[in-house]
Amino acid sequence: MSEAIKLFIEDARAVSIEEAAKIMRLTFKRTGVEHPQPCPHCFGTDTFSFNTKKEKWNCRAGGIGGNDAIGMAAHCEGLDVKSREGLLEACSIVLDRDIPEEGERESDEDRAARKKRLEERRLQNDCAFAERAASQDEFRERERQKARGIYQSLTALRTAAQMHGRFYLQYRCGGYPDATWLRVGGDVTYWHGQDERGSPLALYSGLAMVAPFIMPDLAPIGCHITWIDLDRPPKFRPQLVDPTTGELLPTKKMRGSKKGGLIPIAGHPDCSRWVGGEGIENGVAFGVWEGFRADTFYFAAGDLGNLAGPADPSSRFAHPTLKKPDAKGVARPVMVAGPIPKRDQDAADAMWVADHVRELVLLADGDSERVMTAAAMARARARHARPGRIIPIVWPRAGYDFSRMAVETGE
Ligand SMILES: [Zn+2]
């Protein structure tokens, strides 16, 4: 690899997520640091998001994310950074600069000057990365503490004087668990955007169901909040609107960390049979349907990425029917994250499953895109496979999720 190419890559490594997002013409919300939008590569609604403060990007549809601009550009453009061409192409995108010519002859002087610049650039990058990592750690710890604070101050949904949590699950899932994991609060704040001084703004406050994300020691690392409005069927959630853009906002949020953790719904992780999928409502509906078995722990992963973990790039495949136009306007098949888990991944790249689990029942989401979901469920099964463990995947009726099936059967 020539010095010019090495320098080119080091330059690209120094580009922040924000700079790259501007060059790539990604969408910025008018306020805040989190910028959700459809994935330029996988489509969907708000499947893709980047965060200019945490220096992170994530695609829920592709089950992939990271903390560098090069990786973000590669995902959005469907490039493989493991290949030389893919990497250089991604660098070229974030730098908005052509790839330097390989093999050009340079004088000894030029060469020495380049080497020096390259060395300086490398040092700068290493310092910047260390600083960024330290502030990210601090930020994460603060967020975790806030999440614990929210969760621990609330009362258990099954006993709370506040009936709304029970009614919400009754309406959505046909019942609720007799467990203390899920909690409910009458006055949970919805933070959105920032004021002129950069402080978070309280957009709304109201009834919410709050669940923890726990690790194997059962300590919460984050929480999952679902705001409730019993007067608004069929989802029974409030309508929240961004005051500046007029866009509808999600009525579920996660605080703190979720990666590697899971949401307990009913039963105890000590059980040898576990049942769960992406969302809380589906897990509850399935539990209600089978009568919340005493030998079973019911859980939710929070999202598909945390359920299935990242995919091995070699298993990516073209969607059989979905297409999207490339830069030249030619329709190309949408690439789907494949069924094979990424090699050498971190334990925290997906939710934990206790070693003693003999039966892990995975609940698929029937109202999400079928091919992408099927690939992710196969990946989840491969990732959590162990000798002596069976992992059935249960599908609801096409176009449905278990919670809608429960409601329609109950009526
Ligand atoms: Zn994507």
Side-chain angles (χ1 to χ4, degrees):
M1 199 186 281
S2 77
E3 296 295 312
I5 293 281
K6 278 187 202 159
L7 184 56
F8 180 69
I9 296 171
E10 286 296 319
D11 279 347
R13 279 184 65 212
V15 176
S16 70
I17 295 276
E18 183 170 359
E19 288 162 342
K22 281 181 186 153
I23 287 173
M24 293 163 65
R25 295 171 192 278
L26 296 175
T27 312
F28 282 77
K29 294 235 162 209
R30 254 194 260 171
T31 54
V33 293
E34 185 79 38
H35 305 281
Q37 53 206 279
C39 176
H41 188 254
C42 318
F43 298 111
T45 317
D46 287 354
T47 42
F48 176 85
S49 179
F50 62 91
N51 188 305
T52 49
K53 186 165 177 189
K54 293 191 218 165
E55 276 295 315
K56 274 186 186 307
W57 64 274
N58 180 55
C59 171
R60 284 187 289 130
I64 186 171
N67 48 15
D68 69 311
I70 300 176
M72 180 170 79
H75 178 68
C76 292
E77 297 298 320
L79 298 164
D80 178 9
V81 285
K82 291 226 172 67
S83 78
R84 182 189 156 86
E85 298 75 45
L87 173 66
L88 292 180
E89 201 54 57
C91 291
S92 157
I93 292 167
V94 302
L95 287 169
D96 203 11
R97 213 159 83 195
D98 288 340
I99 302 167
E101 293 277 346
E102 192 68 275
E104 57 192 44
R105 305 287 292 173
E106 39 177 14
S107 69
D108 289 350
E109 258 167 52
D110 283 354
R111 191 189 175 82
R114 262 186 207 210
K115 275 208 161 146
K116 189 156 168 267
R117 219 186 120 204
L118 176 60
E119 201 40 51
E120 281 167 8
R121 188 46 128 174
R122 220 177 251 148
L123 274 174
Q124 269 175 21
N125 278 356
D126 289 349
C127 289
F129 275 114
E131 252 170 56
R132 236 182 253 167
S135 79
Q136 273 170 25
D137 282 351
E138 227 173 81
F139 182 81
R140 190 179 311 130
E141 193 41 47
R142 271 205 311 276
E143 271 294 301
R144 282 186 177 193
Q145 277 167 11
K146 278 186 208 155
R148 274 183 218 121
I150 296 169
Y151 177 68
Q152 279 157 1
S153 65
L154 303 177
T155 40
L157 176 138
R158 70 173 179 134
T159 52
Q162 200 66 264
M163 307 279 289
H164 299 72
R166 301 201 281 285
F167 283 144
Y168 171 75
L169 290 180
Q170 187 73 47
Y171 294 167
R172 289 293 310 275
C173 317
Y176 56 89
D178 184 27
T180 53
W181 296 112
L182 302 179
R183 298 192 179 178
V184 63
D187 198 16
V188 180
T189 309
Y190 190 100
W191 300 98
H192 182 73
Q194 292 169 341
D195 63 14
E196 322 69 79
R197 298 211 316 273
S199 311
L201 273 176
L203 177 74
Y204 171 86
S205 179
L207 288 156
M209 173 174 77
V210 182
F213 275 95
I214 58 167
M215 294 306 278
D217 61 2
L218 309 188
I221 54 166
C223 70
H224 180 284
I225 311 173
T226 308
W227 278 270
I228 298 171
D229 183 348
L230 295 179
D231 293 331
R232 293 185 56 87
K235 292 220 153 180
F236 301 99
R237 301 224 289 271
Q239 188 174 51
L240 301 178
V241 178
D242 185 313
T244 43
T245 64
E247 271 174 81
L248 278 182
L249 296 170
T251 46
K252 290 182 175 186
K253 272 199 181 200
M254 306 195 204
R255 297 291 302 266
S257 315
K258 67 162 185 244
K259 247 183 114 189
L262 59 81
I263 297 170
I265 294 173
H268 195 278
D270 284 349
C271 292
S272 63
R273 180 173 181 262
W274 285 23
V275 173
E278 240 185 291
I280 296 174
E281 289 82 356
N282 268 349
V284 172
F286 197 85
V288 169
W289 174 74
E290 63 171 20
F292 285 110
R293 281 169 52 169
D295 66 346
T296 300
F297 172 58
Y298 298 85
F299 69 90
D303 61 34
L304 207 50
N306 196 41
L307 182 71
D312 191 274
S314 70
S315 70
R316 256 164 45 107
F317 63 95
H319 194 286
T321 51
L322 281 185
K323 290 191 192 315
K324 67 153 202 171
D326 66 6
K328 294 186 183 104
V330 182
R332 306 248 180 233
V334 169
M335 297 302 288
V336 180
I340 301 171
K342 192 179 102 182
R343 256 167 296 171
D344 306 322
Q345 51 180 298
D346 268 13
D349 278 345
M351 59 168 272
W352 61 280
V353 173
D355 285 339
H356 62 255
V357 174
R358 314 297 290 173
E359 184 182 358
L360 175 64
V361 181
L362 296 177
L363 308 178
D365 226 340
D367 57 357
S368 304
E369 203 288 309
R370 196 87 174 175
V371 174
M372 236 174 249
T373 308
M377 296 313 283
R379 192 162 75 243
R381 171 148 63 188
R383 181 190 163 104
H384 299 299
R386 298 285 182 280
R389 177 185 293 171
I390 54 164
I391 310 183
I393 297 170
V394 188
W395 286 86
R397 211 184 314 151
Y400 277 65
D401 57 16
F402 290 105
S403 113
R404 197 170 141 213
M405 273 173 75
V407 169
E408 291 192 5
T409 330
E411 265 163 16

